[in-house]
Amino acid sequence: MADALEVEVAGRPVRLTSPDRVVFPERGFTKRDVFEYYLAVGDGIMRALGERPTTLQRFPDGIDGEAFFQKRVPTRGVPPWIEKAQIAFPSGRKADELCPADLAHVAWAAQMGTIVFHPWPVRKAHVDHPDELRIDLDPQPGTDFRNAAEVAGVLKTVLDELGFTGWPKTSGGRGLHVYVRIKPQWTFVEARRAVIALAREVERRAPDQATTKWWKEERGERVFIDFNQMARDRTIACAYSLRANPRATASTPLRWDELGSVEPDDFDLRTVPARIAEIGDPHAGIDDVAHDISELLDWSARDATNGEGDMPYPPEYPKMEGEPMRVQPSRARKQES
């Protein structure tokens, strides 16, 4: 193994051990490559992570080794400058998560074997009030990234009509994410209902392409708009986060006019820093405007009046007020017969 290195990041010393350990075997990328990638995309990833409680997806021995999600900052062996934020899980339990205040926090996490960064949609100052809507476009079997891009086009039309600015990015896999910055004035429940209302409107306009059906047996060959990514403690890989796949792809911000001409594999550990150097960060203006979601909440109330109320939460969540039964439709029919 090569000797450990000490690198100054954001004015802080960060130690990098085992820099030549292979993390992505298929590409030959090492721990040092991962570390240097995160320094190269520093401005962009701090725009995505800054002051956000963040869960770390760690692979200490590379992507083919053991992996785990770390939601709590260790109590020992942590630099004194590491910032934390306390968050509450749906169960009521609490945890002090990493809360990146500068790029040194990201570098430290990379040193700890972090490949994927999963920030909450909140900032340290308002941990119970999201400041962004996250719309996850998830291609179902029989569909692909191209289909997600088509649904994203319908979503953009709806956002434009609302006067909202949406910020698209690849998921790093087959799907797409679109973020909308909002004022931190609403609860997780309200933000989730706003996303459900938005998703239903997209579904109405493109019923053969998009679905909000929670149960897989009802989705068909359509793109699922995963509204439950707005539930408390559900997180997705942030902009510029690497993904733990053989190609070492990255979740990458896009311009809207790129959607029809790119593929997820275009963006990886090697190509993304070069892309930023050439065109800058397409999400550079994401914090310029924070929107009011009152109209979406009006849509949600209208839908409820028309018989389209809340949708099921994930199975590990406590039963929520107004939530329908969490029973698979086919199983419910068997129980009734």
Side-chain angles (χ1 to χ4, degrees):
M1 284 290 183
D3 293 338
L5 307 172
E6 188 169 284
V7 183
E8 184 174 308
V9 183
R12 305 184 189 279
V14 180
R15 193 163 183 261
L16 176 64
T17 60
S18 305
D20 60 353
R21 176 182 294 150
V22 175
V23 175
F24 292 95
E26 185 173 297
R27 305 291 302 277
F29 295 147
T30 64
K31 185 176 178 183
R32 182 171 185 167
D33 291 326
V34 172
F35 187 90
E36 292 179 345
Y37 166 83
Y38 280 120
L39 298 187
V41 301
D43 288 346
I45 199 162
M46 282 308 300
R47 203 168 280 119
L49 290 178
E51 300 296 324
R52 295 190 185 280
T54 301
T55 299
L56 307 178
Q57 190 176 0
R58 293 175 55 191
F59 297 79
D61 298 314
I63 65 166
D64 290 342
E66 181 182 0
F68 60 94
F69 287 89
Q70 183 168 330
K71 296 189 175 186
R72 291 173 171 81
V73 175
T75 56
R76 293 183 294 179
V78 176
W81 43 265
I82 288 290
E83 295 284 338
K84 297 172 281 187
Q86 187 174 89
I87 47 84
F89 301 118
S91 64
R93 292 181 299 108
K94 296 183 178 181
D96 291 327
E97 287 206 335
L98 181 72
C99 189
D102 56 33
L103 190 57
H105 288 70
V106 178
W108 173 79
Q111 148 62 18
M112 298 291 287
T114 300
I115 301 297
V116 191
F117 291 84
H118 295 265
W120 283 48
V122 300
R123 307 270 188 178
K124 187 175 185 178
H126 305 281
V127 293
D128 293 316
H129 298 90
D131 74 334
E132 64 186 10
L133 302 182
R134 295 175 174 178
I135 303 99
D136 180 11
L137 305 179
D138 183 11
Q140 299 302 290
T143 65
D144 55 19
F145 181 83
R146 177 184 56 82
N147 300 107
E150 291 172 353
V151 173
V154 179
L155 171 63
K156 184 179 187 302
T157 298
V158 178
L159 293 176
D160 287 346
E161 291 172 5
L162 286 163
F164 287 5
T165 301
W167 302 89
K169 69 181 182 72
T170 66
S171 68
R174 299 169 61 245
L176 275 166
H177 303 151
V178 179
Y179 287 4
V180 176
R181 287 286 203 261
I182 65 174
K183 298 175 182 179
Q185 298 176 357
W186 295 275
T187 65
F188 274 96
V189 169
E190 290 169 320
R192 177 178 172 274
R193 287 179 178 168
V195 169
I196 291 172
L198 183 59
R200 280 175 167 153
E201 182 60 24
V202 172
E203 183 181 34
R204 290 185 194 105
R205 299 188 186 199
D208 295 329
Q209 297 172 285
T211 181
T212 61
K213 299 295 186 184
W214 174 246
W215 302 104
K216 291 182 179 180
E217 65 184 33
E218 295 186 312
R219 294 177 189 170
E221 293 188 3
R222 292 177 289 181
V223 174
F224 173 49
I225 308 174
D226 189 355
F227 50 85
N228 269 332
Q229 294 296 0
M230 275 310 303
R232 180 186 287 272
D233 192 33
R234 289 294 281 253
T235 57
I236 51 183
C238 73
Y240 295 111
S241 175
L242 294 171
R243 303 308 307 269
N245 58 44
R247 284 199 51 79
T249 60
S251 181
T252 304
L254 302 174
R255 301 187 308 264
W256 281 105
D257 62 6
E258 294 181 290
L259 283 182
S261 60
V262 299
E263 293 291 338
D265 282 354
D266 294 341
F267 310 109
D268 63 28
L269 185 151
R270 281 284 179 258
T271 62
V272 170
R275 170 181 165 86
I276 293 176
E278 180 182 354
I279 71 167
D281 179 9
H283 283 195
I286 194 170
D287 290 316
D288 291 351
V289 178
H291 296 290
D292 184 323
I293 63 170
S294 297
E295 186 169 355
L296 284 176
L297 294 176
D298 289 342
W299 289 9
S300 178
R302 174 205 64 196
D303 290 345
T305 299
N306 293 333
E308 294 182 304
D310 201 359
M311 302 280 265
Y313 275 77
E316 69 272 18
Y317 281 65
K319 184 67 175 178
M320 303 295 286
E321 183 179 353
E323 179 190 3
M325 290 191 304
R326 293 182 200 170
V327 181
Q328 228 172 307
S330 58
R331 183 174 297 177
R333 287 192 292 270
K334 287 180 182 178
Q335 292 173 350
E336 292 173 359
S337 61

